[in-house]
Amino acid sequence: MVDPEQARQDAGPVPAAPPAVQGAQRAPGQETENKLDNGKPGNRKAICGRAFRKHPDTATIATPSGNTDPISCDEYPFAATYESSGFPTANGGLNAAQNIDYAGLECVQTVVAKGDGTREHLYNDTTYDDPKWFAPCGRSSMSNYVNTQSMQPFGVKFAKDFRLLDYDEYWVDPANARFSGCDPSQAVIKCKMN
């Protein structure tokens, strides 16, 4: 297993963020879904496949095409990065879960739900055990439409436009300046978006 502290030191300074958000900084290293040569499941499948439960309170939307919006699993760090907890160390992964076959169970579990009836909020998914810090990843039960649209430009546009090559570093800005009162060292993390 990769020592999270050593990986952070090797990666250089990371803007302050909740533990599950610190990390992803490399370009995709393998083909889509990161199909591995050793027959193990791809990174996304390792995080969102086994033991993922669609939360019944997940907020879905009416898609522009009018299709029913299914519930999806979103993961961070991105499946297409070396920091994905579903990417085994033996294959070059930098943040591999201890149990790669059930990597998603080591993540912070969240759900995007309409807590006040009108707006989506990110909540702790209480159908799983409480998170253990340091958690190597985060996964959330959320709208498939929102999930597939939010990072769709990454591989199609961002990596191409910025000519990212294998192992090139990049930074993910979680817009920390827009949040107040976030202290990831606390047992309960509450943040307010400005």
Side-chain angles (χ1 to χ4, degrees):
M1 180 180 146
V2 173
D3 175 22
E5 285 303 316
Q6 184 61 48
R8 270 196 219 109
Q9 290 173 7
D10 292 345
V14 175
V21 176
Q22 295 181 7
Q25 58 205 11
R26 300 200 188 270
Q30 297 180 336
E31 61 185 282
T32 304
E33 292 293 334
N34 290 309
K35 295 179 178 80
L36 305 176
D37 295 333
N38 64 3
K40 291 279 190 183
N43 300 358
R44 182 169 164 70
K45 186 174 180 184
I47 300 297
C48 291
R50 294 185 174 146
F52 173 71
R53 297 186 296 268
K54 297 176 181 179
H55 195 283
D57 294 335
T58 302
T60 57
I61 63 170
T63 65
S65 63
N67 293 330
T68 302
D69 184 25
I71 295 172
S72 176
C73 173
D74 186 29
E75 77 287 343
Y76 190 87
F78 311 126
T81 64
Y82 289 102
E83 284 81 0
S84 168
S85 295
F87 198 151
T89 303
N91 293 79
L94 300 174
N95 186 39
Q98 291 181 18
N99 183 345
I100 206 71
D101 291 324
Y102 290 91
L105 290 176
E106 296 177 33
C107 298
V108 172
Q109 312 292 332
T110 59
V111 57
V112 178
K114 290 189 177 182
D116 60 7
T118 60
R119 294 184 181 176
E120 291 83 10
H121 299 277
L122 187 65
Y123 293 100
N124 181 34
D125 186 340
T126 57
T127 66
Y128 293 95
D129 292 337
D130 286 340
K132 306 287 185 264
W133 305 112
F134 173 83
C137 52
R139 74 174 176 183
S140 188
S141 181
M142 68 181 304
S143 155
N144 184 65
Y145 182 76
V146 171
N147 186 14
T148 58
Q149 298 305 305
S150 62
M151 283 307 295
Q152 184 271 344
F154 176 74
V156 176
K157 186 160 177 46
F158 178 83
K160 181 180 174 185
D161 287 356
F162 289 98
R163 299 179 180 184
L164 290 178
L165 301 174
D166 205 15
Y167 281 105
D168 277 355
E169 293 186 358
Y170 64 91
W171 294 102
V172 176
D173 181 3
N176 287 335
R178 295 178 49 202
F179 293 91
S180 61
C182 292
D183 184 354
S185 68
Q186 299 301 311
V188 175
I189 302 172
K190 291 187 178 185
C191 304
K192 181 176 180 179
M193 194 169 182
N194 300 326

